[in-house]
């Protein structure tokens, strides 16, 4: 079981994260405090809330973003999900989720936190909980063709300046701006 290594990696990534705003810095401290009080807080079994791992998947030219039409959320969002016991780190979890949900091999992940977000949700536990989401930048290889998984209603590349109407525009546009600043 890797609850300990997941926990340690989440602490490490959050400690190293250089935030871009006072709100992000406040969230970083909140997540660090959460982890200090929740040794099992990276696993979905921690019902009060748990760390999740998401990816902003961009094409090789960083002109398109891969979004999933999430069946539970009902909107176009970035790829990601729960950390699993066989994930050594939160970066591993984000890359695994991106690979599983996109069907694309040879994705490259930047191990530095791109952003974070927290939101209430009734996830696979079947009870209200809170996701504390660490988001990473992932780049697909040239010519990557996504293959929709059973976890998605739809999966498509979208031009970063022409997102679908029912996308989480503010979130995705913010993530794209953060990714561009890293180039």
């Amino acid at each position: 079981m890797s609850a300990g290594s997941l926990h340690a990696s989440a602490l490490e990534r959050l400690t190293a994260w250089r935030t871009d705003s006072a709100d992000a810095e406040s969230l970083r401290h909140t997540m660090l405090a959460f982890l200090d009080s929740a040794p099992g807080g990276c696993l979905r079994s921690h019902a009060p809330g748990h760390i999740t791992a998401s990816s902003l998947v961009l094409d090789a030219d960083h002109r398109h973003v891969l979004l999933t039409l999430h069946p539970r959320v009902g909107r176009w969002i970035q790829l990601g999900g729960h950390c699993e016991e066989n994930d050594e780190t939160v970066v591993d979890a984000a890359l695994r989720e991106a690979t599983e949900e996109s069907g694309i091999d040879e994705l490259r992940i930047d191990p530095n936190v791109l952003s974070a977000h927290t939101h209430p949700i009734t996830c696979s536990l079947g009870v209200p909980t809170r996701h504390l989401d660490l988001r990473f930048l992932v780049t697909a290889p040239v010519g990557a063709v996504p293959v929709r998984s059973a976890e998605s209603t739809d999966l498509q590349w979208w031009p970063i300046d022409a997102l679908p109407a029912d996308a989480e525009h503010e979130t995705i546009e913010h993530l794209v701006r953060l990714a561009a600043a890293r180039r």
Side-chain angles (χ1 to χ4, degrees), residues 40-61:
C42 289
L43 298 176
R44 81 174 83 202
S45 58
H46 191 264
H50 40 270
I51 298 290
T52 54
S54 293
S55 297
L56 177 73
V57 179
L58 298 178
D59 67 354
D61 295 328

Side-chain angles (χ1 to χ4, degrees), residues 111-158:
N112 297 304
V113 173
L114 182 63
S115 78
H117 186 262
T118 182
H119 52 272
I121 191 167
T122 299
C123 65
S124 57
L125 289 173
V127 296
T129 187
R130 179 160 292 278
H131 282 176
L132 295 98
D133 196 32
L134 299 179
R135 295 169 170 171
F136 297 89
L137 174 61
V138 172
T139 304
V142 173
V145 177
V147 177
R148 185 181 63 83
S149 74
E151 297 180 40
S152 176
T153 301
D154 200 356
L155 180 71
Q156 291 185 39
W157 288 112
W158 294 93

Side-chain angles (χ1 to χ4, degrees), residues 26 48 56 66 80 86 96 100 105 115-116 132 142 167 174 183:
S26 178
L56 177 73
L66 186 61
N86 60 345
R96 176 188 50 75
E100 287 175 0
D105 292 324
S115 78
L132 295 98
V142 173
H174 178 71
R183 289 183 91 186

Side-chain angles (χ1 to χ4, degrees), residues 14 17 19 21-34 115-119 130-135:
L14 282 164
W17 180 28
T19 58
S21 69
D23 286 343
E25 184 65 11
S26 178
L27 180 56
R28 184 179 80 84
H29 283 278
T30 298
M31 291 175 130
L32 285 167
F34 164 79
S115 78
H117 186 262
T118 182
H119 52 272
R130 179 160 292 278
H131 282 176
L132 295 98
D133 196 32
L134 299 179
R135 295 169 170 171

